[in-house]
Amino acid sequence: MPLVREATYQLLRQLGLTTIVGNPGSTEETFLKDFPDDFDYVLALQEANVVGIADGLAQGLRKPVIVNVHTGPGLGNAMGCILTAYENKTPLIITAGQQTRKMLLLEPFLTNIDATVMPRPWVKWSYEPSRPEDIPAAFMRAYARAIQQPMGPVFLSLPLDDWEKRIDEAPALRATSSRMGPDPLYAELFADKINASKRPVLVYGSDIARSQAWDAGIRFAETLQAPVWAAPFAERTPFPETHPLYAGALPAAIGPLSARLEGHDLIVVVGAPIFRYYPYIPGQYLPDGARLLQVTDDPDAAAKAPVGDSIVADSLLFLETIRPLIDRNTRMAPEIRKPVSTKPDLDHLPLSADAVLSTIRPLCPADFVLLSESPSTIAALQRWFPIDKPDSYYTFASGGLGWGMPAAVGLALAERKSGRNRPVIGLIGDGSFQYSLQSIYTGVQQNAHVIFVVLRNGEYAILKEFAKLEKTPNVPGLDLPGLDIASLGRGYGARTFRATDAAEIREAFNAALAHTGTSVIEVPISPSLNPLLTGWSGRTTAGHARSHQAGSAS
């Protein structure tokens, strides 16, 4: 009879889950004992980094990753990134050690008290096996729950003395589908409403990227001849931002969002909640005369939508089902006026964010992965880095800082494991950099090709922008003097640069591309503030329309 540990590792082999990201502790060492040669262990120096790296790796590989953190304290350290993984819909199997069963009643040192309660509500399932023999089957159930839509993290609490027990029957390897198709009746009802619409508009969300519906989304938009907006706070790019039908990103406030959609009689939201609002700016949820249809893989998102009718389904399966039901008519697409970016001043120092990004963009290779955790420079990023390829842009759905740097390392590991080998460019704010900078160590040790471009404006600029919106002057703690980003990166072994002008940026970035390891480029930028809700967005102009042949651009 095999040991529980042996049976568990064999099941993980069968599931193809042979990478474990972790930070080991005393309660985890019995699981990691005699670690198998055919498994990879990715060490991170703090549990938030563990989860962030696993999140990026799982998104890049499109499959679950095993996470191993240290009982209650380690799980506590990890919670911020677990919350983000849940909002990102990333399938992770998070494990934490537990004290010896014989002492649990005493709650000794490092007991994870109420272990299954601690990670909720940010996991889909949380369980501590009643018997040692149940551990392998619990992993099987955890895997099935993690990959079912909406995908997300699950949690197992595992007592340290369970691994040496014998198991008389290994769990059955099982398969389960991971996509939900649309209700045929509702699909026909949606098609009827779409066909009856005179001026439809599309709002696409990140589920389109997760369900690999990029091309299907393009075909649907071109069939409708409808403009496409990105949903507020979309963590994955759902539609090519260079496409003629792309209108921009919607603002995350009730009144301004509704105003952007004026003139349309039908709003079709695919793969997004209704909606991710943040600052409260009142108004109507929908413009006058408009109706809303939503497609989401999350029943909770459908239940809590304040307006509209919903279908719970995978985005790709919905788009493939609905498109044959749509009339191919001669509807005219509204002209979308896209702003032309003017060349920024490269002589004035410190450079603006626009100047830095306009300098970097021409240096990037044809294929790369872009990750952003620099909230105050999103508008500049959208101006100079329009995303026109699927699975090439990632950010965080939760709003919690500290995910970006480890996720960039995880994405780079996924690039290597998949053989794509695209470099990962992480655009990080100097405030964000402080949350999970230990991830640089993992990037260096794993020889992950990550380039962290750290924009140092010496402040929490996004909070100063909020302070203007909320009329809250003199808020303390919004300035960040005295940070030496390059020295911090150097301390973890990264190749580091401090670049102050365009020539130095070009030299540093080209060197980082050639290095194929982990690099940190610190760039001082001017501390200018932008209006919070007036980032990049297109404009549709009523009365100015043009034909757009279906299938002409992608």
Side-chain angles (χ1 to χ4, degrees):
M1 294 189 297
L3 299 175
V4 168
R5 181 175 55 251
E6 294 169 344
T8 300
Y9 277 114
Q10 181 56 25
L11 175 67
L12 295 179
R13 286 188 186 93
Q14 293 173 311
L15 293 172
L17 306 182
T18 58
T19 297
I20 297 175
V21 186
N23 181 264
S26 55
T27 53
E28 291 71 49
E29 288 182 318
T30 50
F31 169 54
L32 300 172
K33 176 182 175 181
D34 297 325
F35 193 69
D37 292 338
D38 58 332
F39 278 66
D40 293 328
Y41 187 86
V42 178
L43 171 65
L45 301 185
Q46 200 261 8
E47 287 87 355
N49 290 276
V50 170
V51 177
I53 291 168
D55 189 332
L57 181 59
Q59 289 199 61
L61 295 179
R62 292 186 174 276
K63 69 177 187 179
V65 170
I66 305 296
V67 172
N68 190 232
V69 299
H70 181 40
T71 188
L75 183 60
N77 287 339
M79 281 306 300
C81 279
I82 292 174
L83 185 157
T84 296
Y86 183 87
E87 295 288 357
N88 284 352
K89 299 183 179 179
T90 304
L92 300 177
I93 301 175
I94 301 167
T95 66
Q98 176 63 294
Q99 259 289 6
T100 307
R101 284 184 185 270
K102 288 183 178 180
M103 294 199 298
L104 283 179
L105 184 61
L106 307 176
E107 296 184 358
F109 187 64
L110 291 179
T111 299
N112 192 355
I113 301 170
D114 288 337
T116 61
V117 174
M118 187 173 181
R120 291 175 175 152
W122 304 115
V123 293
K124 293 179 63 180
W125 183 56
S126 185
Y127 185 65
E128 184 174 276
S130 298
R131 307 179 306 155
E133 298 88 342
D134 293 335
I135 287 180
F139 270 91
M140 185 67 248
R141 181 173 172 181
Y143 174 83
R145 286 296 300 272
I147 66 171
Q148 291 170 4
Q149 291 177 327
M151 294 185 293
V154 295
F155 174 72
L156 295 175
S157 171
L158 304 171
L160 67 88
D161 55 330
D162 284 358
W163 300 104
E164 298 295 330
K165 301 295 191 297
R166 296 284 175 179
I167 184 171
D168 56 3
E169 184 177 359
L173 180 68
R174 302 167 48 246
T176 179
S177 64
S178 60
R179 295 177 184 260
M180 298 178 294
D183 182 317
L185 176 61
Y186 266 73
E188 291 183 6
L189 291 174
F190 274 35
D192 290 343
K193 293 177 181 179
I194 292 169
N195 288 330
S197 170
K198 301 298 184 182
R199 298 177 305 280
V201 62
L202 297 172
V203 179
Y204 281 176
S206 300
D207 288 349
I208 285 181
R210 279 185 285 268
S211 63
Q212 297 180 280
W214 179 275
D215 291 334
I218 295 171
R219 290 191 293 269
F220 186 56
E222 292 174 343
T223 298
L224 291 185
Q225 293 291 281
V228 178
W229 290 87
F233 292 129
E235 68 274 13
R236 300 279 298 274
T237 304
F239 190 78
E241 296 175 348
T242 55
H243 194 287
L245 289 175
Y246 182 66
L250 287 173
I254 296 171
L257 187 152
S258 179
R260 295 286 170 89
L261 300 178
E262 285 180 357
H264 297 285
D265 61 350
L266 185 66
I267 301 162
V268 182
V269 181
V270 183
I274 313 294
F275 286 104
R276 277 191 182 130
Y277 301 118
Y278 187 36
Y280 177 65
I281 300 179
Q284 300 181 102
Y285 285 113
L286 301 178
D288 289 336
R291 301 181 65 181
L292 185 143
L293 305 176
Q294 179 198 29
V295 180
T296 174
D297 65 11
D298 185 353
D300 184 59
K304 68 187 180 185
V307 289
D309 302 327
S310 298
I311 287 179
V312 179
D314 172 80
S315 293
L316 177 61
L317 296 184
F318 168 79
L319 291 169
E320 290 178 339
T321 299
I322 196 76
R323 188 163 170 261
L325 305 177
I326 301 302
D327 295 336
R328 292 181 176 271
N329 53 37
T330 57
R331 183 186 289 122
M332 304 292 284
E335 182 180 4
I336 299 171
R337 293 181 178 177
K338 299 186 179 181
V340 178
S341 297
T342 58
K343 185 176 177 60
D345 186 355
L346 299 182
D347 295 323
H348 184 272
L349 299 180
L351 297 171
S352 66
D354 281 276
V356 174
L357 297 178
S358 69
T359 300
I360 290 174
R361 184 60 186 92
L363 307 176
C364 295
D367 289 312
F368 61 93
V369 177
L370 180 65
L371 180 144
S372 172
E373 194 174 284
S374 178
S376 64
T377 60
I378 288 297
L381 185 70
Q382 292 172 332
R383 282 190 284 271
W384 297 104
F385 278 81
I387 304 301
D388 59 5
K389 295 179 181 179
D391 301 328
S392 59
Y393 177 74
Y394 298 80
T395 190
F396 52 117
S398 67
L401 301 180
W403 171 87
M405 293 181 67
V409 173
L411 286 165
L413 297 180
E415 288 298 306
R416 187 169 66 208
K417 286 179 177 289
S418 67
R420 295 184 298 262
N421 292 314
R422 297 176 296 175
V424 176
I425 302 167
L427 184 69
I428 309 295
D430 54 351
S432 297
F433 186 84
Q434 310 308 316
Y435 280 75
S436 297
L437 71 164
Q438 308 96 327
S439 57
I440 297 171
Y441 174 86
T442 304
V444 170
Q445 297 301 313
Q446 293 287 330
N447 199 32
H449 194 187
V450 183
I451 303 170
F452 293 115
V453 179
V454 185
L455 302 179
R456 181 170 59 80
N457 56 12
E459 62 184 9
Y460 290 125
I462 190 70
L463 295 181
K464 290 188 175 183
E465 292 170 7
F466 266 104
K468 292 179 67 175
L469 177 70
E470 295 165 344
K471 298 180 174 60
T472 54
N474 302 318
V475 174
L478 302 188
D479 293 307
L480 299 173
L483 294 176
D484 187 343
I485 303 296
S487 292
L488 292 171
R490 191 177 304 113
Y492 286 103
R495 189 167 185 181
T496 61
F497 309 85
R498 182 178 285 111
T500 58
D501 59 31
E504 291 177 348
I505 292 171
R506 295 187 191 100
E507 181 180 1
F509 193 80
N510 285 329
L513 280 174
H515 175 49
T516 68
T518 298
S519 303
V520 174
I521 304 174
E522 175 188 356
V523 186
I525 63 170
S526 58
S528 58
L529 301 180
N530 300 300
L532 192 63
L533 293 176
T534 57
W536 196 103
S537 64
R539 293 290 187 272
T540 56
T541 52
H544 293 81
R546 54 182 168 81
S547 297
H548 181 63
Q549 294 291 329
S552 64
S554 62

